[in-house]
Amino acid sequence: FNVGEMQSRGLEVDFEYDVTEYLNFKGGYSRTWTKVIEFEQRRNFEGNELDFAPRNKGFFGITYDDQDKLRISARGRAVGHQYSDLGNTEAQELSMHFVMDVSAFYKVYPGIEVFALGQNIFDKEYDTTRSSTVRTVGAPAQIFAGLSLKF
């Protein structure tokens, strides 16, 4: 079934600030209000929040870039309460979570760069979908490293 009409309104604020020539800070926040306006096949869903539409989201990032050889950054993101179904049932409610990622890039030679990436570095377990029988979680802590060649 397709929802006949839905509504999404919100407020989003992003900012970026150069702390020094090499250090940059950025962040953002969004607040979203969503609801099902019309759903002919499922009238009991009307007035509910949309699925996978968190009310609150935010992020921050800080980057050091010497603009020659080294670039290091950290980024955190928080995702607020949301539902994984249009019925807005408690069994399918996804709770808030915070995830932190880091990265480092070092230019060894023009066109050759080594890098390391860490995703979800605090190994936070969080739900990405949920039903009364199935729970899917986000990726655990992951670390990647490699060599980048540009020709």
Side-chain angles (χ1 to χ4, degrees), residues 108-140:
V108 178
Y109 192 78
I112 302 174
E113 196 172 58
V114 293
F115 65 89
L117 308 169
Q119 296 178 334
N120 190 7
I121 62 170
F122 299 128
D123 199 24
K124 174 70 176 169
E125 185 175 291
Y126 60 94
D127 295 333
T128 57
T129 59
R130 191 174 193 154
S131 72
S132 56
T133 57
V134 176
R135 177 179 180 234
T136 307
V137 296

Side-chain angles (χ1 to χ4, degrees), residues 15-107:
F15 64 90
E16 187 168 349
Y17 179 69
D18 290 328
V19 179
T20 69
E21 180 182 358
Y22 305 114
L23 195 61
N24 174 275
F25 182 76
K26 60 178 70 173
Y29 170 78
S30 66
R31 173 65 167 109
T32 307
W33 295 268
T34 65
K35 71 177 171 178
V36 175
I37 303 294
E38 181 188 344
F39 196 166
E40 191 173 310
Q41 294 86 3
R42 301 261 171 94
R43 294 282 183 203
N44 59 320
F45 288 178
E46 293 178 354
N48 286 358
E49 293 179 37
L50 299 179
D51 52 344
F52 302 106
R55 298 174 194 155
N56 298 285
K57 289 191 299 187
F59 79 93
F60 71 89
I62 189 161
T63 301
Y64 171 83
D65 187 348
D66 71 7
Q67 311 195 1
D68 183 35
K69 291 198 173 277
L70 181 64
R71 185 172 73 250
I72 301 171
S73 65
R75 179 183 164 117
R77 60 190 186 281
V79 177
H81 161 89
Q82 61 186 307
Y83 293 101
S84 64
D85 73 326
L86 281 177
N88 292 181
T89 57
E90 190 174 316
Q92 295 178 323
E93 188 174 349
L94 306 178
S95 60
M96 186 221 148
H97 64 273
F98 174 81
V99 177
M100 185 80 171
D101 303 325
V102 295
S103 63
F105 298 84
Y106 184 77
K107 190 182 299 181

